[in-house]
Amino acid sequence: MSGFTAALSLLGVAALAVAGVYGAAWALRISRVPSPAMPFGSGLEPVEHAVSRFHVRWYTVTMLFLAFDMEMVFMYPWTLVVSVMGAGAVIEMFVFLAVLLVGVVHAWREGALRWT
């Protein structure tokens, strides 16, 4: 089999696979009729749709959460090697925590944590 024939055969198999996936998706699709807004939080009647837009304040809170989540990701391995690494590791971790604290103080001063 020549190289051109093999490449053409491979292209045909790939095209058939893509067509098969599209066909399966079309055959198994769910009705396009949107479902009505139903209770989604504690069984209370919703005042807005579940996929409505969030207020911009939530993005700042999310970024703060992710910053402190990453802090824990870095602190756990640090606790395992701090005794081996010595005082330098302690100083580096406190510098890291100071940078995070500066970020929180800045967010606080800018009113990112104010909900009124």
Side-chain angles (χ1 to χ4, degrees):
M1 196 190 270
S2 71
F4 179 73
T5 307
L8 195 59
S9 298
L10 184 62
L11 181 64
V13 168
L16 283 175
V18 169
V21 169
Y22 272 108
W26 180 80
L28 299 174
R29 72 176 180 216
I30 298 174
S31 169
R32 292 189 185 260
V33 177
S35 60
M38 299 297 294
F40 61 92
S42 303
L44 301 174
E45 286 295 324
V47 293
E48 59 190 23
H49 197 273
V51 290
S52 62
R53 294 178 182 240
F54 291 105
H55 194 279
V56 72
R57 287 187 207 120
W58 283 107
Y59 295 108
T60 308
V61 172
T62 302
M63 289 299 121
L64 286 172
F65 169 75
L66 288 175
F68 285 101
D69 200 30
M70 286 295 105
E71 172 195 6
M72 287 296 113
V73 166
F74 288 124
M75 282 186 83
Y76 179 71
W78 174 79
T79 59
L80 298 177
V81 298
V82 69
S83 62
V84 176
M85 298 298 290
V90 175
I91 293 169
E92 288 174 2
M93 184 51 71
F94 278 106
V95 168
F96 177 67
L97 292 175
V99 169
L100 285 177
L101 183 64
V102 166
V104 170
V105 168
H106 174 71
W108 195 328
R109 286 184 62 213
E110 292 295 320
L113 302 176
R114 197 174 310 128
W115 292 101
T116 57

